[in-house]
């Protein structure tokens, strides 16, 4: 070791110790550095804050309505024929479905996106997603993002996709992401409960698919300050609300907007939503 280098090493260690001893308020931070510190960014950020418009569509059931469906079930259901019409529209308008990881790379590192990027998300892991959505997306070479309530496949509930189906979809280009273990609303909860529901569902997905889930959706769009704090401590890169919006930024990672698709969302209304939000 050259004496000069040793001296600078010792100097660095001593100055680091000195700074640590100072009260926080005495350490001067330039405004830019201070704001950068308050911004929680996932690993791999290149230092540039970006704002990108990518519509994230939110579907629930895709298929036939049961005869006794109530108002909520009806609103959450898009028929197979309407869903095919939506996909046909996206195809003719040359939209390119991308994964949330592509969106994340674009926001974090400026990775290029295809023309007219769009994200197709499907909440709750209904069996429809395996029987109707997965083959429809595959036939067009589209990718989809599925937010899974992991207690449902844990219980082998036949109304929901199984772990074997989740694994198959994951292995065939679909993103299988976390939506808690029990679809618990995440506002007004304590730390342990939030970690159990959020990290628990992520770990189950990783255990069954071999792929870590970094994307999350709040059940019923419910969350509060504590939820956001816990999200920032977990390996969650992006968390989605049910709020309407298609503009995404590098730093606002845990309050991502989407476009809700209803039973009544015609192709014309889809077009309106894509052009105006
Ligand atoms: Zn849900």
């Amino acid at each position: 070791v050259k004496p000069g280098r040793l001296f600078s090493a010792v100097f660095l260690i001593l100055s680091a110790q000195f700074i640590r001893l100072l009260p926080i308020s005495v350490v001067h931070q330039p405004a830019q550095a201070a704001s950068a510190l308050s911004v929680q960014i996932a690993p791999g950020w290149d230092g540039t804050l970006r704002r990108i418009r990518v519509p994230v569509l939110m579907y629930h059931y895709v298929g036939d309505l049961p005869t006794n469906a109530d108002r909520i079930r009806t609103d959450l259901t898009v028929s197979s024929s309407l869903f095919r019409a939506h996909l046909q529209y996206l195809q003719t308008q040359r939209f390119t479905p991308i994964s949330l990881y592509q969106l994340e790379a674009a926001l974090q590192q400026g990775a290029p996106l295809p023309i007219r990027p769009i994200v197709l998300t499907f909440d709750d892991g209904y069996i429809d997603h395996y029987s109707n959505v997965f083959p429809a997306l595959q036939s067009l070479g589209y990718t989809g993002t599925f937010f899974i309530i992991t207690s449902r496949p844990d219980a082998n509930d036949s109304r929901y996709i199984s772990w074997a189906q989740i694994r198959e979809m994951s292995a065939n280009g679909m993103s299988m992401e976390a939506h808690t273990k029990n679809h618990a609303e995440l506002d007004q909860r304590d730390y342990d409960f939030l970690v159990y529901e959020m990290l628990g569902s992520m770990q189950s997905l990783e255990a069954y698919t071999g792929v870590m889930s970094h994307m999350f959706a709040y059940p019923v769009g419910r969350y509060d300050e504590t939820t956001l704090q816990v999200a920032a401590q977990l390996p969650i890169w992006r968390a989605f609300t049910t709020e309407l919006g298609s503009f995404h930024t590098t730093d606002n990672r845990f309050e991502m907007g989407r476009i809700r698709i209803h039973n009544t969302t015609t192709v014309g209304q889809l077009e309106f939503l894509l052009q105006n939000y």
Side-chain angles (χ1 to χ4, degrees):
V1 179
K2 287 180 185 170
R5 206 172 284 177
L6 184 64
F7 174 77
S8 14
V10 169
F11 176 77
L12 278 175
I13 291 164
L14 289 177
S15 49
Q17 293 298 329
F18 175 65
I19 286 167
R20 208 172 296 161
L21 291 173
L22 287 172
I24 293 296
S25 57
V26 174
V27 178
H28 175 71
Q29 294 280 3
Q32 209 179 349
S35 70
L37 284 176
S38 69
V39 172
Q40 301 252 7
I41 309 236
W45 181 40
D46 68 0
T48 302
L49 288 168
R50 298 182 178 84
R51 182 170 183 265
I52 302 177
R53 181 173 178 270
V54 175
V56 179
L57 302 186
M58 171 178 53
Y59 289 90
H60 286 83
Y61 296 95
V62 176
D64 297 330
L65 268 180
T67 44
N68 58 350
D70 62 13
R71 193 181 54 81
I72 291 171
R73 175 69 161 82
T74 304
D75 180 62
L76 291 175
T77 306
V78 167
S79 71
S80 297
S81 60
L82 179 57
F83 183 62
R84 276 197 300 273
H86 284 185
L87 294 182
Q88 175 99 58
Y89 168 79
L90 297 180
Q91 194 185 24
T92 51
Q93 296 299 314
R94 304 187 65 204
F95 278 92
T96 309
I98 61 167
S99 75
L100 293 173
Y101 295 91
Q102 287 172 274
L103 174 57
E104 174 71 353
L107 288 164
Q108 294 266 82
Q109 294 113 27
L113 289 174
I115 58 148
R116 309 192 88 174
I118 190 168
V119 181
L120 308 176
T121 71
F122 303 86
D123 283 19
D124 301 343
Y126 302 117
I127 190 65
D128 293 358
H129 299 169
Y130 183 79
S131 342
N132 301 334
V133 176
F134 179 41
L137 296 183
Q138 271 199 313
S139 70
L140 294 166
Y142 286 175
T143 188
T145 297
F146 298 82
F147 289 112
I148 305 297
I149 309 163
T150 58
S151 68
R152 308 298 195 260
D154 282 347
N156 292 311
D157 187 329
S158 62
R159 295 169 299 171
Y160 295 82
I161 43 181
S162 68
W163 281 120
Q165 291 161 341
I166 290 168
R167 191 160 46 239
E168 184 188 339
M169 290 168 75
S170 172
N172 284 278
M174 304 295 144
S175 297
M176 311 311 283
E177 306 294 341
H179 194 40
T180 73
K181 288 173 82 78
N182 299 293
H183 210 251
E185 294 174 13
L186 298 182
D187 55 334
Q188 296 168 32
R189 302 291 191 173
D190 65 30
Y191 178 85
D192 288 353
F193 182 91
L194 291 168
V195 170
Y196 174 78
E197 285 289 340
M198 296 166 82
L199 184 60
S201 57
M202 296 163 72
Q203 288 177 331
S204 295
L205 285 160
E206 185 185 21
Y208 282 100
T209 64
V211 181
M212 185 68 199
S213 158
H214 294 290
M215 303 296 171
F216 186 85
Y218 305 109
V220 209
R222 294 281 176 81
Y223 63 94
D224 60 16
E225 277 306 313
T226 312
T227 325
L228 296 175
Q229 282 163 19
V230 171
Q233 290 170 25
L234 300 179
I236 292 177
W237 294 351
R238 297 275 158 185
F240 288 80
T241 68
T242 54
E243 293 298 309
L244 180 61
S246 297
F247 284 97
H248 312 292
T249 62
T250 305
D251 56 335
N252 183 20
R253 295 164 50 209
F254 304 123
E255 293 180 286
M256 305 276 287
R258 292 195 276 177
I259 293 178
R260 183 187 281 276
I261 304 298
H262 301 270
N263 173 268
T264 52
T265 308
T266 61
V267 169
Q269 283 164 341
L270 176 63
E271 180 169 48
F272 177 85
L273 290 165
L274 291 174
Q275 286 170 353
N276 292 279
Y277 294 98

